[in-house]
Every structure is written in C-alpha cells, then in structure tokens.
C-alpha cells in the first residue's frame, strides 16, 4: 500500500514509535526533500495498537524497474535480490551507494545505499557481490531510487569475489602491513604468522588482523632489500572466501628504512607547458621512498623514489618532464647525476608525474608513506578570474584540522569556531599564500618560503626571485 516518510525525530514523539505500532496522527506540514515526500510536522500523535506484523507490507521487486514506479513505491517496504555492478562511492554524508542490478534486469539508475560505517565493518560490498535486501523503506534521491540498508540485519550478502593481496609495506624494522582488498576474518589468521612466508631469509613470528590489513611481526629486515610476502589460501574474508591463487596471493615491499621528513620550500605552478617545479627541504634525515606530493584531496603529483637524504638537503621535483631532458638522480649517481641544464647541481633532481600544478586556489601537501601529513600549504591565486574551485575550502579545512595550517578556523574576533570559506570573515583566500606573479619560466619569480621558518601561515611565503636548489633567503 502507499507510504510516506515521517521526517521527525522519533525521540520527540510520546510514546516513541516501535516497529509494529499502529498509530494515528494529523500531518500539519508536508514537503519534499530531494524528491522524497515527507511529513515535516504533525499533531495528535497516538499509538492505537502494538505488535502488528509488518511482513505483509514487504513487496519483492527483484527484476522490476523500480525507477519506472518511483512515484508510487517511494517509502514503501521493498525487498530485492541483486548484484553490485561497481565499487560503492560516496552518496551523501555518512553513506555510500552502488549500482544494484536486480535479477536479470540491469537497472542503471537503481543504487543500493548503505551507511559508510557498515560498509567498512560489515557489508564490504564490491563489484560482483550478490545480496538480498530484506524489506526496508524505499529511499530516493531526485529521480534515482535508492533501496537502502540502515542496520546490519537489513541486508544479507550471499557471495562476493574472493579476496586478494593488494599491497605490503614495512612500517618498522620488524613489522610488515599486508593490505587486502576485502575485510579479513580474524579467526582465519593464525596468531603465529605461519600463513605469511617471505623470501631473502625473512621469517614471521606473529600476525594480527584489523579490517582489511594484517600486521605481521618479522625477523630483522635489511633496509632497502626487496622482499616478497606470500599468503596462504587459508586466510579468508569475512564471508569465508579463500584467498585467490598466484599472483593475487603475494606482494613485494622494501625492507624498512627510516623515512625522511620533508617541507615544501619553493613552488612555481605557472611554467609554460606545465613544466612546473616543486622544491622540498629535508627537515630530518632518512629515506624518501613512498613519500607523496599531493595537490588537493587526492591528486598525486609524484611519489618519491628510494633515496637516502641528509638534513638540509634540497630536492627539486620536475613535473611533466620531457623525454630526454631531466632524469631522476639516485644515491649511486649523486646530485650531479642529471647533467641537463634544467637540473640543479646542488640539489637532488627527481622527475615527477605527467601533469603539472593547477594554477588556481589549491592545497599542496607532503604526505609520509603511512599517509600522515608532513607539511601542507594553502595557496591562492589572487588574479584568478571566473568561478573559484569548489573543493578548495574543504581541502583547507582538512589541513587546518590537522594543525598544518593556521589560523585553525575563520572566527575572526568571535569566540565560536567558523569554517573558512570564500564568504567567511576573514575569507579563506585572505589566510592563504598568494602565488600570483610566479613567472612562466624557471628562471623567473617563484613563490618561496622565507628562510626555513614554518609557522604554518601565509606569512611564511613570498613571491620573488627564484632560488632553486639553494637555501632560501
């Protein structure tokens, strides 16, 4: 039968509603939210009976194009079997959704929607998983139907692809984290680590599970040595599927080395043909392997190679390098290994990725191999015309929350925290370092850190004569 969503906190109703209650009330305000009709206010709430069976209200819509009937089916109790067509993606705050193909009918607009917390800890939905939704109110977002699971008991996952090893990395001289593409059943992993074997003389003595990763305790690793870890098929996902066979059961990693700590030192995002430069200062000696330079929330500009560096060394990253020009230097070649005129004899020259920096409002960050931030700077382009990038405020708020950029918010003279936006006071642009005036060539002006200070504010940065490969002045 017909149904309507009651958009009111049930805790505000007395008595609070329970499943199976037969109720009466007067709807005093009705509206819509993203296409969903809902009651926004009511009066005269009362419970007439309790304990009624709602099973008879559930309609099985397997193989039915529910999109064609969205107007009559919304908020009604829907059950269906289906197959996940692709990995889930964000679908509103705290939720993810994936195309859900029901029966033999592939319905492009139907999305199975679940809380992110349940996806991460219980459901672990992936492409080609099959599942049954047991009977929940049919959600919608504009013209897209979103059959939804709200609690773990709403959805039964009947099968999923077998797990595989995604990667491995050394996090200490005797620790290796093996990452899988699915949640791993803790009961399937032996505490003594015997299901994890290594080459080059490395042995395991313990293993612990956390979600999609297993941390293995090893004998002493040789720093920089390439190891391979192979995992036994007795390791399973939470649905009991055994690990895939060769080559999906193994991964290589480098023996642990102390990671270097780096700081952004100089940048030019405006060089012709996107041949942009990023200079890094070594704050703490170590190895650069796996350190990432990132623009915005997810764009990786370069992943640094294996290179032992000393404190106060300088690294110059050449973005979008042209074949036959700059080359990546190694400890074997030394700082003079690249002899091209674009390289800097006093610095380590490293080739970056295939794209340059975006000459617009952007956050640029240095992230350690474990994903933690070593440094981050919010840059604005005061001469930018047109619509400013919508993601910039959220990116700045992220690094503010991590203590990598100040002020920590844009409350101004007030006392309550205020998120920094284009319209806040102060605005997000006024607290960012401006790189307007950077030249179109490496020999012209750049935006550089003044000296080696790092107060995590725009005051650290100035547009002026470039000093690539040399200490800033």
């Amino acid at each position: 039968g017909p149904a309507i969503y009651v958009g009111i906190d049930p805790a505000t109703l007395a008595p609070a509603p329970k499943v199976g209650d037969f109720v009466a009330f007067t709807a005093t305000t009705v509206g819509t939210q993203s296409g969903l009709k809902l009651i926004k206010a009511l009066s005269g709430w009362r419970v007439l009976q309790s304990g009624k069976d709602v099973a008879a209200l559930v309609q099985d819509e397997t193989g039915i194009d529910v999109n064609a009937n969205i107007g009559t089916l919304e908020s009604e109790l829907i059950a269906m079997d289906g197959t996940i067509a692709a990995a889930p993606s964000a679908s509103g705050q705290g939720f993810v959704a994936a195309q859900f193909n029901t029966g033999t009918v592939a319905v492009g607009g139907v999305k199975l929607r679940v809380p992110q917390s349940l996806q991460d800890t219980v459901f672990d939905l992936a492409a080609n998983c099959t599942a049954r939704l047991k009977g929940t109110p049919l959600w919608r977002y504009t013209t897209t139907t979103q059959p939804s699971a709200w609690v773990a008991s709403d959805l039964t996952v009947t099968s999923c692809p077998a797990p595989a090893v995604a990667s491995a990395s050394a996090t200490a001289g005797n620790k290796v984290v093996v990452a899988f593409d699915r949640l791993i059943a803790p009961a399937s992993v032996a505490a003594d680590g015997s299901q994890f074997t290594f080459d080059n003389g490395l042995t395991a003595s313990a293993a612990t599970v956390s979600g999609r990763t297993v941390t293995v305790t090893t004998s002493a690793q040789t720093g920089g040595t390439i190891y391979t870890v192979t995992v036994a098929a007795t390791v399973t996902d939470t649905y009991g599927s055994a690990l895939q066979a060769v080559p999906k059961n193994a991964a290589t990693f480098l023996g642990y080395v102390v990671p270097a700590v780096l700081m952004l030192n100089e940048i030019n995002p405006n060089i012709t043909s996107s041949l942009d430069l990023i200079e890094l200062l070594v704050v703490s000696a170590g190895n650069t392997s796996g350190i990432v330079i990132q623009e915005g929330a997810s764009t990786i500009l370069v992943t640094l190679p294996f290179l032992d560096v000393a404190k106060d060394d300088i690294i110059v990253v050449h973005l979008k390098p042209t074949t036959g020009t700059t080359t990546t230097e190694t400890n074997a070649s030394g700082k003079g290994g690249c002899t091209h005129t674009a390289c800097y004899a006093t610095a380590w020259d490293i080739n970056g990725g295939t794209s340059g920096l975006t000459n617009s409002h952007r956050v640029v960050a240095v992230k350690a191999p474990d994903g933690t931030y070593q440094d981050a700077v919010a840059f604005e382009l005061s001469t930018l015309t047109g619509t400013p990038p919508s993601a910039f405020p959220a990116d700045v708020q992220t690094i503010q929350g991590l203590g990598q950029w100040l002020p920590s918010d844009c409350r101004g003279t007030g006392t309550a925290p205020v998120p920094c936006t284009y319209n806040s006071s102060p605005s997000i642009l006024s607290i960012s370092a401006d790189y307007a005036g950077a030249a179109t060539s490496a020999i012209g002006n750049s935006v550089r850190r003044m000296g080696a200070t790092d107060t995590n504010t725009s005051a650290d940065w100035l547009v002026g004569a470039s000093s690539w490969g040399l200490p800033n002045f």
Side-chain angles (χ1 to χ4, degrees):
I4 188 169
Y5 185 83
V6 180
I8 296 171
D9 183 352
T12 64
L13 300 174
K18 305 184 298 295
V19 174
D21 280 352
F22 185 62
V23 304
F25 59 88
T26 299
T28 57
T29 304
V30 178
T32 58
Q33 177 179 311
S34 301
L36 180 75
K37 185 180 294 184
L38 72 164
I39 295 172
K40 294 185 174 182
L42 58 80
S43 64
W45 171 266
R46 57 196 187 279
V47 177
L48 305 178
Q49 297 179 43
S50 295
K52 285 186 169 291
D53 186 4
V54 300
L57 300 175
V58 177
Q59 304 165 77
D60 194 312
E61 300 292 338
T62 301
I64 304 300
D65 186 352
V66 291
N67 269 351
N69 300 291
I70 189 171
T72 56
L73 289 176
E74 69 173 54
S75 296
E76 296 187 12
L77 296 183
I78 299 298
M80 57 174 58
D81 297 289
T83 302
I84 302 296
S89 58
S91 180
Q93 185 174 3
F95 287 82
V96 295
Q99 181 175 325
F100 197 46
N101 295 342
T102 62
T104 59
V105 181
V107 185
V110 175
K111 298 291 185 69
L112 178 64
R113 188 170 186 259
V114 301
Q116 178 76 65
S117 58
L118 290 179
Q119 164 65 7
D120 292 342
T121 60
V122 179
F123 295 145
D124 199 20
L125 299 173
N128 298 316
C129 287
T130 60
R132 177 167 178 78
L133 189 67
K134 298 179 183 178
T136 65
L138 181 60
W139 195 253
R140 71 181 291 178
Y141 181 75
T142 63
T143 60
T144 301
T145 52
Q146 296 183 330
S148 301
W150 306 97
V151 296
S153 59
D154 288 340
L155 188 74
T156 297
V157 178
T158 52
S159 69
C160 273
V165 174
S167 65
S169 60
T171 57
N174 67 338
K175 299 288 183 182
V176 175
V177 174
V178 182
F180 298 82
D181 63 357
R182 302 199 51 72
L183 294 173
I184 296 302
S188 74
V189 176
D192 62 3
S194 56
Q195 295 152 301
F196 298 81
T197 56
F198 301 85
D199 60 359
N200 290 325
L202 200 64
T203 58
S205 59
T208 57
V209 181
S210 177
R212 294 178 177 83
T213 64
V214 176
T215 299
V216 183
T217 302
T218 70
S219 54
Q221 303 162 24
T222 301
T225 295
I226 299 176
Y227 294 99
T228 297
V229 56
T230 302
V231 186
T234 50
V235 173
T236 72
D237 67 9
T238 52
Y239 296 114
S241 297
L243 192 70
Q244 294 186 46
V246 177
K248 299 295 184 66
N249 64 340
T252 60
F253 64 96
L254 290 175
Y256 181 76
V257 290
V258 176
V261 177
L262 309 179
M263 181 172 70
L264 292 164
N265 206 45
E266 190 168 351
I267 283 181
N268 189 334
N270 195 39
I271 298 178
T272 301
S273 300
S274 297
L275 302 177
D276 302 327
L277 297 175
I278 299 175
E279 182 180 274
L280 305 162
L281 178 67
V282 179
V283 177
S284 178
N287 196 280
T288 62
S289 178
I291 294 176
V292 167
I293 313 301
Q294 181 174 300
E295 179 184 84
S298 58
T299 301
I300 295 177
L301 299 169
V302 61
T303 300
L304 299 183
F306 189 93
L307 182 68
D308 288 316
V309 291
K311 185 178 184 301
D312 296 327
D313 272 359
I314 292 174
I315 300 168
V316 177
V317 177
H318 302 258
L319 297 179
K320 203 177 178 181
T322 304
T323 302
T325 56
T326 57
T327 55
T328 293
E329 293 169 335
T330 65
N331 289 121
S333 72
K335 295 177 183 178
C338 177
T339 58
H340 192 272
T341 55
C343 287
Y344 301 92
T346 53
W348 296 103
D349 293 281
I350 292 176
N351 280 348
T354 58
S355 61
L357 288 155
T358 304
N359 196 19
S360 177
H361 312 324
R362 285 293 187 272
V363 167
V364 181
V366 182
K367 296 176 74 172
D370 65 0
T372 57
Y373 283 72
Q374 293 187 345
D375 191 27
V377 179
F379 289 106
E380 66 139 337
L381 182 63
S382 59
T383 56
L384 181 69
T385 58
T387 303
S390 60
F392 182 61
D395 292 342
V396 176
Q397 291 164 22
T398 295
I399 64 173
Q400 287 176 306
L402 295 170
Q404 291 287 347
W405 196 248
L406 298 173
S408 59
D409 59 64
C410 284
R411 72 185 72 184
T413 58
T415 56
V418 176
C420 293
T421 67
Y422 291 120
N423 298 316
S424 60
S425 182
S427 76
I428 199 166
L429 299 182
S430 67
I431 68 164
S432 301
D434 189 2
Y435 50 40
T440 57
S441 70
I443 62 174
N445 286 348
S446 64
V447 57
R448 54 181 172 76
R449 190 181 293 276
M450 293 184 290
T453 59
D454 186 12
T455 65
N456 292 325
T457 68
S458 60
D460 294 338
W461 294 84
L462 179 71
V463 173
S466 60
S467 58
W468 304 107
L470 299 171
N472 292 353
F473 50 88

